[in-house]
Amino acid sequence: MPDMGRSRLPRHVRLTRTMAFLLRHHPEVGGLTLDDAGWTELPALVAAMQKLVGDPALAAADIVTLVEADRKGRYAIEGERIRALNGHTFGGGPPGVPGAGDARAQAPADEHEAARESTLEPAHEPASASPPAADPSANDPAAARPASSNAPASESALPPATKGLANKPREPDAAPPDVLYVGTSAKVRDQVLGGAGLGGKGRHALLVASEARAWKLARRLRGQKPCVLYVDARRAHKGGVTFQPAGHEDFEVEFLPRRFILNARSDFRFQLSAGTVLWRGAIEAPEVALIRVGRETGESWELPKGKLQRGEAPLQAALRETREELNLGEGTTLEAGPSLGQIHYAFHVPGGRPRLKTVAYFLARVAVYDPAMAPRTEEGIQEVRWFPLAEALAVVTHENVRRTLTRAAEALRAGGGREGARAGGGSGGEAGGGPDGASAPRRRRRRRRRRREDGANAPSPAPPGHDEPPR
């Protein structure tokens, strides 16, 4: 074992490597005893690391900080116990992990191991399966598989570093967000087109909650072109896929059928929309406008929104769509407020063509109200109504809409409901400082920051209105 106490590495790196060495590779070096699920006592780990690192000031709080800062969620703490969730290379860890003869047991974990563990390969069709059709939207081999099945009948070509994932202690199934992301390579993406899906045969797929983080994981795959797969997690969960929490709002699945990977189909498209949380009245007791929309799946109360037109800024589209969908009278004047962030969800247009929708929401206030407001039935809107904010939170059924209303409530409590009006400019108070309410230098800084975060290989949205549904 290397002398970590005299290393010139930064303290947090020495601590992270020592913790991985003890919990995943050689607990006996620190005199630790792990139970069948990989748990050991936190005070015992602290004492062992104090000796190995030569840091008598090390405390349990430092270990908790390391675990919380681990972006891959490789460790878990419950009370006075701690364990590693994967990567064990000794015989005494969770059942079924590789034995002590594994070559990885000769050195502590490092940053490159984390990169290798994020590599994903597709599960391939068994030899007896018929080859997929040229059109990936037809003869989907995953469609014939029962919806409740999480394991394919085929082997997956994964690097050895991922083999221990299937043997780690499992957490209960949890409901995922609407959309999750997989950071991988373009090669894997292309292979998914002709395969059954991701994972399988003991290899788990890691799905993360942030697209930006998925791109970071994909770029760790050296020598390969990074790519991100977009997963319709809500439908996959309804279809029987089990989602295991992996820390930091991430999930692992044993097998993900191809039909739930949105951009595994050539007819996948992005859709960009914008909407508002429109409020009126006193800031202490605001009312917000909701629309009741009827669809084949039922009715629901939603926020007004719609697709961006070509060359249109999100804030301009949000205010325009709000006027159109609420059918506001000509005498109504709106004041733009701050951004409320974005939501993402997946849906399919007729023919089963997948779409990933991004909706940018803004807070907006009714400065002058014309009561001539009526639903636009030709767009499927059956009713428009003002709700007290607390009641609106109760009647909406979509979790992402509820989160947007919660952000609006927080902005109003912080006094941000009139932010756009203070920005000045714009006819009728409906814009300020630029198409999105920001000055030109600030917009340039935002664009540069987004380019740095997304990278040159990030997918570009299709032009709004291209092969998309009416709303």
Side-chain angles (χ1 to χ4, degrees), residues 277-311:
V277 176
L278 185 65
W279 69 283
R280 69 176 185 179
I283 198 170
E284 299 82 8
E287 291 184 325
V288 298
L290 297 180
I291 59 176
R292 182 164 59 89
V293 181
R295 296 187 176 89
E296 293 181 359
T297 56
E299 298 179 354
S300 61
W301 287 100
E302 303 177 9
L303 293 168
K305 68 179 185 302
K307 293 188 299 182
L308 273 67
Q309 296 178 354
R310 190 176 300 273

PDB file of all heavy atoms in Angstrom, residues 277-311:
ATOM      1  N   VAL A 277     -46.132  31.949 -15.527  1.00  0.00           N
ATOM      2  CA  VAL A 277     -47.015  31.912 -14.363  1.00  0.00           C
ATOM      3  C   VAL A 277     -47.559  33.325 -14.238  1.00  0.00           C
ATOM      4  O   VAL A 277     -46.879  34.226 -13.760  1.00  0.00           O
ATOM      5  CB  VAL A 277     -46.265  31.480 -13.090  1.00  0.00           C
ATOM      6  CG1 VAL A 277     -47.191  31.552 -11.885  1.00  0.00           C
ATOM      7  CG2 VAL A 277     -45.706  30.078 -13.242  1.00  0.00           C
ATOM      8  N   LEU A 278     -48.762  33.531 -14.746  1.00  0.00           N
ATOM      9  CA  LEU A 278     -49.381  34.857 -14.771  1.00  0.00           C
ATOM     10  C   LEU A 278     -50.151  35.071 -13.482  1.00  0.00           C
ATOM     11  O   LEU A 278     -51.003  34.260 -13.110  1.00  0.00           O
ATOM     12  CB  LEU A 278     -50.314  34.964 -15.977  1.00  0.00           C
ATOM     13  CG  LEU A 278     -50.949  36.335 -16.206  1.00  0.00           C
ATOM     14  CD1 LEU A 278     -49.893  37.377 -16.555  1.00  0.00           C
ATOM     15  CD2 LEU A 278     -52.006  36.262 -17.305  1.00  0.00           C
ATOM     16  N   TRP A 279     -49.848  36.185 -12.786  1.00  0.00           N
ATOM     17  CA  TRP A 279     -50.515  36.447 -11.511  1.00  0.00           C
ATOM     18  C   TRP A 279     -51.110  37.847 -11.489  1.00  0.00           C
ATOM     19  O   TRP A 279     -50.731  38.726 -12.256  1.00  0.00           O
ATOM     20  CB  TRP A 279     -49.531  36.255 -10.357  1.00  0.00           C
ATOM     21  CG  TRP A 279     -48.433  37.306 -10.270  1.00  0.00           C
ATOM     22  CD1 TRP A 279     -47.318  37.382 -11.040  1.00  0.00           C
ATOM     23  CD2 TRP A 279     -48.388  38.413  -9.376  1.00  0.00           C
ATOM     24  NE1 TRP A 279     -46.557  38.463 -10.690  1.00  0.00           N
ATOM     25  CE2 TRP A 279     -47.190  39.108  -9.657  1.00  0.00           C
ATOM     26  CE3 TRP A 279     -49.220  38.881  -8.371  1.00  0.00           C
ATOM     27  CZ2 TRP A 279     -46.810  40.262  -8.967  1.00  0.00           C
ATOM     28  CZ3 TRP A 279     -48.844  40.030  -7.671  1.00  0.00           C
ATOM     29  CH2 TRP A 279     -47.659  40.694  -7.967  1.00  0.00           C
ATOM     30  N   ARG A 280     -52.045  38.016 -10.573  1.00  0.00           N
ATOM     31  CA  ARG A 280     -52.689  39.315 -10.371  1.00  0.00           C
ATOM     32  C   ARG A 280     -52.984  39.480  -8.887  1.00  0.00           C
ATOM     33  O   ARG A 280     -52.888  38.537  -8.108  1.00  0.00           O
ATOM     34  CB  ARG A 280     -53.984  39.412 -11.173  1.00  0.00           C
ATOM     35  CG  ARG A 280     -55.094  38.505 -10.650  1.00  0.00           C
ATOM     36  CD  ARG A 280     -56.391  38.708 -11.413  1.00  0.00           C
ATOM     37  NE  ARG A 280     -57.489  37.914 -10.813  1.00  0.00           N
ATOM     38  CZ  ARG A 280     -58.726  37.912 -11.254  1.00  0.00           C
ATOM     39  NH1 ARG A 280     -59.039  38.642 -12.325  1.00  0.00           N
ATOM     40  NH2 ARG A 280     -59.658  37.176 -10.659  1.00  0.00           N
ATOM     41  N   GLY A 281     -53.382  40.702  -8.522  1.00  0.00           N
ATOM     42  CA  GLY A 281     -53.751  40.977  -7.146  1.00  0.00           C
ATOM     43  C   GLY A 281     -52.569  41.398  -6.298  1.00  0.00           C
ATOM     44  O   GLY A 281     -51.497  41.771  -6.799  1.00  0.00           O
ATOM     45  N   ALA A 282     -52.756  41.312  -4.974  1.00  0.00           N
ATOM     46  CA  ALA A 282     -51.717  41.699  -4.029  1.00  0.00           C
ATOM     47  C   ALA A 282     -50.628  40.636  -3.993  1.00  0.00           C
ATOM     48  O   ALA A 282     -50.903  39.437  -4.098  1.00  0.00           O
ATOM     49  CB  ALA A 282     -52.311  41.889  -2.636  1.00  0.00           C
ATOM     50  N   ILE A 283     -49.391  41.066  -3.821  1.00  0.00           N
ATOM     51  CA  ILE A 283     -48.280  40.126  -3.809  1.00  0.00           C
ATOM     52  C   ILE A 283     -48.350  39.198  -2.603  1.00  0.00           C
ATOM     53  O   ILE A 283     -47.810  38.100  -2.623  1.00  0.00           O
ATOM     54  CB  ILE A 283     -46.938  40.898  -3.825  1.00  0.00           C
ATOM     55  CG1 ILE A 283     -45.802  39.975  -4.249  1.00  0.00           C
ATOM     56  CG2 ILE A 283     -46.648  41.539  -2.469  1.00  0.00           C
ATOM     57  CD1 ILE A 283     -44.513  40.703  -4.527  1.00  0.00           C
ATOM     58  N   GLU A 284     -49.067  39.627  -1.537  1.00  0.00           N
ATOM     59  CA  GLU A 284     -49.219  38.775  -0.354  1.00  0.00           C
ATOM     60  C   GLU A 284     -50.262  37.685  -0.574  1.00  0.00           C
ATOM     61  O   GLU A 284     -50.218  36.648   0.087  1.00  0.00           O
ATOM     62  CB  GLU A 284     -49.618  39.619   0.870  1.00  0.00           C
ATOM     63  CG  GLU A 284     -48.614  40.675   1.267  1.00  0.00           C
ATOM     64  CD  GLU A 284     -48.749  41.938   0.419  1.00  0.00           C
ATOM     65  OE1 GLU A 284     -49.738  42.023  -0.371  1.00  0.00           O
ATOM     66  OE2 GLU A 284     -47.871  42.817   0.508  1.00  0.00           O
ATOM     67  N   ALA A 285     -51.206  37.903  -1.492  1.00  0.00           N
ATOM     68  CA  ALA A 285     -52.247  36.900  -1.764  1.00  0.00           C
ATOM     69  C   ALA A 285     -52.516  36.854  -3.266  1.00  0.00           C
ATOM     70  O   ALA A 285     -53.591  37.240  -3.740  1.00  0.00           O
ATOM     71  CB  ALA A 285     -53.524  37.245  -0.999  1.00  0.00           C
ATOM     72  N   PRO A 286     -51.560  36.362  -4.045  1.00  0.00           N
ATOM     73  CA  PRO A 286     -51.709  36.408  -5.504  1.00  0.00           C
ATOM     74  C   PRO A 286     -52.661  35.331  -6.019  1.00  0.00           C
ATOM     75  O   PRO A 286     -52.856  34.284  -5.400  1.00  0.00           O
ATOM     76  CB  PRO A 286     -50.284  36.165  -5.997  1.00  0.00           C
ATOM     77  CG  PRO A 286     -49.679  35.309  -4.931  1.00  0.00           C
ATOM     78  CD  PRO A 286     -50.278  35.788  -3.638  1.00  0.00           C
ATOM     79  N   GLU A 287     -53.232  35.615  -7.177  1.00  0.00           N
ATOM     80  CA  GLU A 287     -53.987  34.626  -7.944  1.00  0.00           C
ATOM     81  C   GLU A 287     -53.225  34.349  -9.231  1.00  0.00           C
ATOM     82  O   GLU A 287     -52.650  35.259  -9.825  1.00  0.00           O
ATOM     83  CB  GLU A 287     -55.393  35.136  -8.267  1.00  0.00           C
ATOM     84  CG  GLU A 287     -56.308  35.255  -7.066  1.00  0.00           C
ATOM     85  CD  GLU A 287     -57.706  35.682  -7.473  1.00  0.00           C
ATOM     86  OE1 GLU A 287     -57.817  36.484  -8.437  1.00  0.00           O
ATOM     87  OE2 GLU A 287     -58.673  35.219  -6.865  1.00  0.00           O
ATOM     88  N   VAL A 288     -53.244  33.092  -9.678  1.00  0.00           N
ATOM     89  CA  VAL A 288     -52.536  32.723 -10.904  1.00  0.00           C
ATOM     90  C   VAL A 288     -53.538  32.139 -11.891  1.00  0.00           C
ATOM     91  O   VAL A 288     -54.557  31.557 -11.506  1.00  0.00           O
ATOM     92  CB  VAL A 288     -51.409  31.708 -10.630  1.00  0.00           C
ATOM     93  CG1 VAL A 288     -50.361  32.309  -9.712  1.00  0.00           C
ATOM     94  CG2 VAL A 288     -51.947  30.423 -10.048  1.00  0.00           C
ATOM     95  N   ALA A 289     -53.247  32.304 -13.178  1.00  0.00           N
ATOM     96  CA  ALA A 289     -54.131  31.832 -14.244  1.00  0.00           C
ATOM     97  C   ALA A 289     -53.722  30.434 -14.678  1.00  0.00           C
ATOM     98  O   ALA A 289     -52.554  30.176 -14.972  1.00  0.00           O
ATOM     99  CB  ALA A 289     -54.071  32.793 -15.435  1.00  0.00           C
ATOM    100  N   LEU A 290     -54.710  29.527 -14.719  1.00  0.00           N
ATOM    101  CA  LEU A 290     -54.496  28.171 -15.210  1.00  0.00           C
ATOM    102  C   LEU A 290     -55.470  27.883 -16.333  1.00  0.00           C
ATOM    103  O   LEU A 290     -56.547  28.491 -16.416  1.00  0.00           O
ATOM    104  CB  LEU A 290     -54.690  27.139 -14.091  1.00  0.00           C
ATOM    105  CG  LEU A 290     -53.750  27.192 -12.892  1.00  0.00           C
ATOM    106  CD1 LEU A 290     -54.105  26.088 -11.903  1.00  0.00           C
ATOM    107  CD2 LEU A 290     -52.302  27.069 -13.329  1.00  0.00           C
ATOM    108  N   ILE A 291     -55.094  26.937 -17.201  1.00  0.00           N
ATOM    109  CA  ILE A 291     -55.977  26.511 -18.284  1.00  0.00           C
ATOM    110  C   ILE A 291     -56.289  25.034 -18.099  1.00  0.00           C
ATOM    111  O   ILE A 291     -55.436  24.250 -17.685  1.00  0.00           O
ATOM    112  CB  ILE A 291     -55.341  26.761 -19.668  1.00  0.00           C
ATOM    113  CG1 ILE A 291     -54.017  26.001 -19.797  1.00  0.00           C
ATOM    114  CG2 ILE A 291     -55.123  28.243 -19.901  1.00  0.00           C
ATOM    115  CD1 ILE A 291     -53.378  26.114 -21.171  1.00  0.00           C
ATOM    116  N   ARG A 292     -57.525  24.649 -18.369  1.00  0.00           N
ATOM    117  CA  ARG A 292     -57.920  23.237 -18.297  1.00  0.00           C
ATOM    118  C   ARG A 292     -57.885  22.669 -19.703  1.00  0.00           C
ATOM    119  O   ARG A 292     -58.622  23.108 -20.592  1.00  0.00           O
ATOM    120  CB  ARG A 292     -59.308  23.094 -17.679  1.00  0.00           C
ATOM    121  CG  ARG A 292     -59.761  21.636 -17.522  1.00  0.00           C
ATOM    122  CD  ARG A 292     -60.948  21.528 -16.575  1.00  0.00           C
ATOM    123  NE  ARG A 292     -62.085  22.302 -17.031  1.00  0.00           N
ATOM    124  CZ  ARG A 292     -63.039  21.841 -17.835  1.00  0.00           C
ATOM    125  NH1 ARG A 292     -62.976  20.599 -18.281  1.00  0.00           N
ATOM    126  NH2 ARG A 292     -64.051  22.614 -18.194  1.00  0.00           N
ATOM    127  N   VAL A 293     -56.998  21.694 -19.905  1.00  0.00           N
ATOM    128  CA  VAL A 293     -56.748  21.136 -21.230  1.00  0.00           C
ATOM    129  C   VAL A 293     -57.311  19.720 -21.285  1.00  0.00           C
ATOM    130  O   VAL A 293     -57.096  18.917 -20.361  1.00  0.00           O
ATOM    131  CB  VAL A 293     -55.236  21.115 -21.543  1.00  0.00           C
ATOM    132  CG1 VAL A 293     -54.985  20.549 -22.940  1.00  0.00           C
ATOM    133  CG2 VAL A 293     -54.661  22.519 -21.431  1.00  0.00           C
ATOM    134  N   GLY A 294     -58.043  19.416 -22.338  1.00  0.00           N
ATOM    135  CA  GLY A 294     -58.581  18.080 -22.542  1.00  0.00           C
ATOM    136  C   GLY A 294     -57.786  17.311 -23.580  1.00  0.00           C
ATOM    137  O   GLY A 294     -57.521  17.815 -24.676  1.00  0.00           O
ATOM    138  N   ARG A 295     -57.364  16.095 -23.205  1.00  0.00           N
ATOM    139  CA  ARG A 295     -56.637  15.223 -24.117  1.00  0.00           C
ATOM    140  C   ARG A 295     -57.247  13.837 -24.083  1.00  0.00           C
ATOM    141  O   ARG A 295     -58.140  13.567 -23.281  1.00  0.00           O
ATOM    142  CB  ARG A 295     -55.143  15.157 -23.732  1.00  0.00           C
ATOM    143  CG  ARG A 295     -54.411  16.492 -23.851  1.00  0.00           C
ATOM    144  CD  ARG A 295     -52.919  16.294 -23.632  1.00  0.00           C
ATOM    145  NE  ARG A 295     -52.176  17.527 -23.831  1.00  0.00           N
ATOM    146  CZ  ARG A 295     -51.932  18.420 -22.892  1.00  0.00           C
ATOM    147  NH1 ARG A 295     -52.376  18.185 -21.658  1.00  0.00           N
ATOM    148  NH2 ARG A 295     -51.267  19.521 -23.144  1.00  0.00           N
ATOM    149  N   GLU A 296     -56.720  12.949 -24.920  1.00  0.00           N
ATOM    150  CA  GLU A 296     -57.234  11.586 -24.952  1.00  0.00           C
ATOM    151  C   GLU A 296     -57.027  10.890 -23.615  1.00  0.00           C
ATOM    152  O   GLU A 296     -57.806  10.027 -23.225  1.00  0.00           O
ATOM    153  CB  GLU A 296     -56.541  10.788 -26.070  1.00  0.00           C
ATOM    154  CG  GLU A 296     -56.883  11.288 -27.469  1.00  0.00           C
ATOM    155  CD  GLU A 296     -56.201  10.459 -28.528  1.00  0.00           C
ATOM    156  OE1 GLU A 296     -55.464   9.521 -28.151  1.00  0.00           O
ATOM    157  OE2 GLU A 296     -56.414  10.724 -29.724  1.00  0.00           O
ATOM    158  N   THR A 297     -55.956  11.270 -22.918  1.00  0.00           N
ATOM    159  CA  THR A 297     -55.657  10.633 -21.638  1.00  0.00           C
ATOM    160  C   THR A 297     -56.418  11.260 -20.479  1.00  0.00           C
ATOM    161  O   THR A 297     -56.308  10.787 -19.349  1.00  0.00           O
ATOM    162  CB  THR A 297     -54.150  10.716 -21.356  1.00  0.00           C
ATOM    163  OG1 THR A 297     -53.737  12.103 -21.414  1.00  0.00           O
ATOM    164  CG2 THR A 297     -53.369   9.922 -22.381  1.00  0.00           C
ATOM    165  N   GLY A 298     -57.170  12.329 -20.724  1.00  0.00           N
ATOM    166  CA  GLY A 298     -57.925  12.966 -19.657  1.00  0.00           C
ATOM    167  C   GLY A 298     -57.715  14.471 -19.649  1.00  0.00           C
ATOM    168  O   GLY A 298     -57.121  15.047 -20.570  1.00  0.00           O
ATOM    169  N   GLU A 299     -58.227  15.103 -18.609  1.00  0.00           N
ATOM    170  CA  GLU A 299     -58.128  16.549 -18.461  1.00  0.00           C
ATOM    171  C   GLU A 299     -57.144  16.887 -17.347  1.00  0.00           C
ATOM    172  O   GLU A 299     -56.948  16.111 -16.411  1.00  0.00           O
ATOM    173  CB  GLU A 299     -59.497  17.156 -18.132  1.00  0.00           C
ATOM    174  CG  GLU A 299     -60.542  16.937 -19.208  1.00  0.00           C
ATOM    175  CD  GLU A 299     -61.872  17.536 -18.818  1.00  0.00           C
ATOM    176  OE1 GLU A 299     -61.991  18.006 -17.662  1.00  0.00           O
ATOM    177  OE2 GLU A 299     -62.794  17.535 -19.651  1.00  0.00           O
ATOM    178  N   SER A 300     -56.533  18.070 -17.466  1.00  0.00           N
ATOM    179  CA  SER A 300     -55.607  18.523 -16.426  1.00  0.00           C
ATOM    180  C   SER A 300     -55.510  20.040 -16.472  1.00  0.00           C
ATOM    181  O   SER A 300     -55.695  20.667 -17.519  1.00  0.00           O
ATOM    182  CB  SER A 300     -54.223  17.900 -16.622  1.00  0.00           C
ATOM    183  OG  SER A 300     -53.680  18.279 -17.880  1.00  0.00           O
ATOM    184  N   TRP A 301     -55.220  20.610 -15.299  1.00  0.00           N
ATOM    185  CA  TRP A 301     -54.971  22.045 -15.186  1.00  0.00           C
ATOM    186  C   TRP A 301     -53.492  22.296 -15.432  1.00  0.00           C
ATOM    187  O   TRP A 301     -52.638  21.661 -14.825  1.00  0.00           O
ATOM    188  CB  TRP A 301     -55.382  22.565 -13.814  1.00  0.00           C
ATOM    189  CG  TRP A 301     -56.861  22.639 -13.626  1.00  0.00           C
ATOM    190  CD1 TRP A 301     -57.662  21.755 -12.972  1.00  0.00           C
ATOM    191  CD2 TRP A 301     -57.719  23.687 -14.097  1.00  0.00           C
ATOM    192  NE1 TRP A 301     -58.964  22.155 -13.016  1.00  0.00           N
ATOM    193  CE2 TRP A 301     -59.045  23.361 -13.693  1.00  0.00           C
ATOM    194  CE3 TRP A 301     -57.515  24.857 -14.815  1.00  0.00           C
ATOM    195  CZ2 TRP A 301     -60.133  24.166 -13.990  1.00  0.00           C
ATOM    196  CZ3 TRP A 301     -58.607  25.663 -15.117  1.00  0.00           C
ATOM    197  CH2 TRP A 301     -59.895  25.321 -14.702  1.00  0.00           C
ATOM    198  N   GLU A 302     -53.210  23.234 -16.325  1.00  0.00           N
ATOM    199  CA  GLU A 302     -51.830  23.496 -16.722  1.00  0.00           C
ATOM    200  C   GLU A 302     -51.578  24.993 -16.807  1.00  0.00           C
ATOM    201  O   GLU A 302     -52.500  25.809 -16.711  1.00  0.00           O
ATOM    202  CB  GLU A 302     -51.536  22.835 -18.074  1.00  0.00           C
ATOM    203  CG  GLU A 302     -51.775  21.334 -18.089  1.00  0.00           C
ATOM    204  CD  GLU A 302     -51.540  20.729 -19.458  1.00  0.00           C
ATOM    205  OE1 GLU A 302     -51.029  21.457 -20.347  1.00  0.00           O
ATOM    206  OE2 GLU A 302     -51.872  19.545 -19.656  1.00  0.00           O
ATOM    207  N   LEU A 303     -50.309  25.338 -17.010  1.00  0.00           N
ATOM    208  CA  LEU A 303     -49.920  26.728 -17.220  1.00  0.00           C
ATOM    209  C   LEU A 303     -49.942  27.041 -18.715  1.00  0.00           C
ATOM    210  O   LEU A 303     -49.670  26.167 -19.543  1.00  0.00           O
ATOM    211  CB  LEU A 303     -48.511  26.967 -16.672  1.00  0.00           C
ATOM    212  CG  LEU A 303     -48.363  26.876 -15.157  1.00  0.00           C
ATOM    213  CD1 LEU A 303     -46.883  26.840 -14.772  1.00  0.00           C
ATOM    214  CD2 LEU A 303     -49.062  28.041 -14.470  1.00  0.00           C
ATOM    215  N   PRO A 304     -50.263  28.268 -19.089  1.00  0.00           N
ATOM    216  CA  PRO A 304     -50.241  28.629 -20.516  1.00  0.00           C
ATOM    217  C   PRO A 304     -48.820  28.575 -21.066  1.00  0.00           C
ATOM    218  O   PRO A 304     -47.877  29.072 -20.443  1.00  0.00           O
ATOM    219  CB  PRO A 304     -50.801  30.054 -20.539  1.00  0.00           C
ATOM    220  CG  PRO A 304     -50.569  30.584 -19.156  1.00  0.00           C
ATOM    221  CD  PRO A 304     -50.673  29.408 -18.240  1.00  0.00           C
ATOM    222  N   LYS A 305     -48.687  27.972 -22.236  1.00  0.00           N
ATOM    223  CA  LYS A 305     -47.372  27.841 -22.874  1.00  0.00           C
ATOM    224  C   LYS A 305     -47.586  27.539 -24.343  1.00  0.00           C
ATOM    225  O   LYS A 305     -48.698  27.219 -24.780  1.00  0.00           O
ATOM    226  CB  LYS A 305     -46.556  26.728 -22.225  1.00  0.00           C
ATOM    227  CG  LYS A 305     -47.110  25.330 -22.470  1.00  0.00           C
ATOM    228  CD  LYS A 305     -46.264  24.273 -21.827  1.00  0.00           C
ATOM    229  CE  LYS A 305     -46.758  22.872 -22.178  1.00  0.00           C
ATOM    230  NZ  LYS A 305     -48.149  22.622 -21.790  1.00  0.00           N
ATOM    231  N   GLY A 306     -46.502  27.607 -25.108  1.00  0.00           N
ATOM    232  CA  GLY A 306     -46.571  27.272 -26.527  1.00  0.00           C
ATOM    233  C   GLY A 306     -45.199  27.298 -27.154  1.00  0.00           C
ATOM    234  O   GLY A 306     -44.211  27.724 -26.538  1.00  0.00           O
ATOM    235  N   LYS A 307     -45.122  26.826 -28.398  1.00  0.00           N
ATOM    236  CA  LYS A 307     -43.849  26.692 -29.082  1.00  0.00           C
ATOM    237  C   LYS A 307     -43.297  28.041 -29.521  1.00  0.00           C
ATOM    238  O   LYS A 307     -44.041  28.978 -29.824  1.00  0.00           O
ATOM    239  CB  LYS A 307     -44.003  25.783 -30.304  1.00  0.00           C
ATOM    240  CG  LYS A 307     -44.313  24.342 -29.955  1.00  0.00           C
ATOM    241  CD  LYS A 307     -44.257  23.464 -31.185  1.00  0.00           C
ATOM    242  CE  LYS A 307     -45.266  23.897 -32.227  1.00  0.00           C
ATOM    243  NZ  LYS A 307     -45.254  23.035 -33.418  1.00  0.00           N
ATOM    244  N   LEU A 308     -41.971  28.112 -29.560  1.00  0.00           N
ATOM    245  CA  LEU A 308     -41.300  29.300 -30.066  1.00  0.00           C
ATOM    246  C   LEU A 308     -41.426  29.347 -31.580  1.00  0.00           C
ATOM    247  O   LEU A 308     -41.308  28.329 -32.269  1.00  0.00           O
ATOM    248  CB  LEU A 308     -39.818  29.289 -29.698  1.00  0.00           C
ATOM    249  CG  LEU A 308     -39.400  29.868 -28.348  1.00  0.00           C
ATOM    250  CD1 LEU A 308     -39.940  29.014 -27.207  1.00  0.00           C
ATOM    251  CD2 LEU A 308     -37.888  29.998 -28.256  1.00  0.00           C
ATOM    252  N   GLN A 309     -41.666  30.526 -32.105  1.00  0.00           N
ATOM    253  CA  GLN A 309     -41.617  30.726 -33.540  1.00  0.00           C
ATOM    254  C   GLN A 309     -40.178  30.991 -33.964  1.00  0.00           C
ATOM    255  O   GLN A 309     -39.324  31.324 -33.139  1.00  0.00           O
ATOM    256  CB  GLN A 309     -42.521  31.905 -33.936  1.00  0.00           C
ATOM    257  CG  GLN A 309     -43.988  31.668 -33.640  1.00  0.00           C
ATOM    258  CD  GLN A 309     -44.863  32.856 -33.985  1.00  0.00           C
ATOM    259  OE1 GLN A 309     -44.363  33.931 -34.348  1.00  0.00           O
ATOM    260  NE2 GLN A 309     -46.170  32.680 -33.880  1.00  0.00           N
ATOM    261  N   ARG A 310     -39.907  30.823 -35.231  1.00  0.00           N
ATOM    262  CA  ARG A 310     -38.540  30.975 -35.721  1.00  0.00           C
ATOM    263  C   ARG A 310     -38.017  32.383 -35.413  1.00  0.00           C
ATOM    264  O   ARG A 310     -38.648  33.391 -35.737  1.00  0.00           O
ATOM    265  CB  ARG A 310     -38.473  30.712 -37.220  1.00  0.00           C
ATOM    266  CG  ARG A 310     -37.064  30.606 -37.763  1.00  0.00           C
ATOM    267  CD  ARG A 310     -37.085  30.244 -39.245  1.00  0.00           C
ATOM    268  NE  ARG A 310     -37.747  28.977 -39.460  1.00  0.00           N
ATOM    269  CZ  ARG A 310     -37.141  27.803 -39.393  1.00  0.00           C
ATOM    270  NH1 ARG A 310     -35.856  27.750 -39.075  1.00  0.00           N
ATOM    271  NH2 ARG A 310     -37.803  26.678 -39.617  1.00  0.00           N
ATOM    272  N   GLY A 311     -36.848  32.439 -34.736  1.00  0.00           N
ATOM    273  CA  GLY A 311     -36.225  33.712 -34.408  1.00  0.00           C
ATOM    274  C   GLY A 311     -36.800  34.403 -33.188  1.00  0.00           C
ATOM    275  O   GLY A 311     -36.390  35.518 -32.858  1.00  0.00           O
TER     276      GLY A 311
END
